[in-house]
Amino acid sequence: QVQLVESGGGLVQTGGSLGLSCAPSGRTFSIYRMAWFRQAPGKEREFVASIAWSEGTTSYADSVKNRFTISRDNAKNTVYLQMNSLKPEDTAVYYCAARPLWTNTYDAWGQGTQVTVSS
């Protein structure tokens, strides 16, 4: 199994920046892709961004393109989400997730970290 520990988040004003980190441990050799999801109050969890663990190819939700950047440091076993030009609608609990090679499902999840953007 893969365990994920997130850090970062907090409170920021509109237009500000925040960074999130996610450190996988355990069976990290099984990781094919890592992603960030978010869930706002009263809404369903939604995809934010993902990155291939080996190749580094990325994918973004339209709502965060050109504002958020996902990256990884394989030497440090860490995935990052840099969030710039934050908007109040970015307020949510952000979750890190990992997907193994043999499935299309993200089956390992972090505990979540709160990001609040004030207007």
Side-chain angles (χ1 to χ4, degrees):
Q1 290 186 339
V2 173
Q3 294 80 42
L4 303 173
V5 178
E6 299 137 341
S7 59
L11 174 65
V12 67
Q13 291 186 334
T14 297
S17 298
L18 277 176
L20 304 180
S21 300
C22 176
S25 61
R27 295 167 61 93
T28 57
F29 62 85
S30 68
I31 296 175
Y32 171 66
R33 201 164 187 91
M34 301 246 344
W36 289 95
F37 290 77
R38 67 186 182 186
Q39 187 167 20
K43 295 187 177 181
E44 293 188 353
R45 187 174 298 184
E46 65 175 359
F47 168 79
V48 175
S50 68
I51 187 167
W53 189 243
S54 294
E55 298 87 4
T57 53
T58 59
S59 177
Y60 294 92
D62 288 342
S63 59
V64 305
K65 275 182 182 175
N66 301 316
R67 298 190 298 123
F68 291 11
T69 302
I70 189 170
S71 62
R72 91 269 188 255
D73 186 331
N74 293 79
K76 295 183 178 180
N77 245 23
T78 302
V79 172
Y80 305 95
L81 184 69
Q82 179 62 38
M83 304 180 290
N84 299 327
S85 302
L86 283 161
K87 306 174 182 179
E89 51 264 44
D90 294 317
T91 295
V93 177
Y94 283 69
Y95 297 90
C96 177
R99 178 189 137 192
L101 179 61
W102 53 83
T103 179
N104 288 325
T105 303
Y106 287 89
D107 63 358
W109 294 85
Q111 78 282 3
T113 185
Q114 178 70 45
V115 172
T116 302
V117 184
S118 63
S119 56

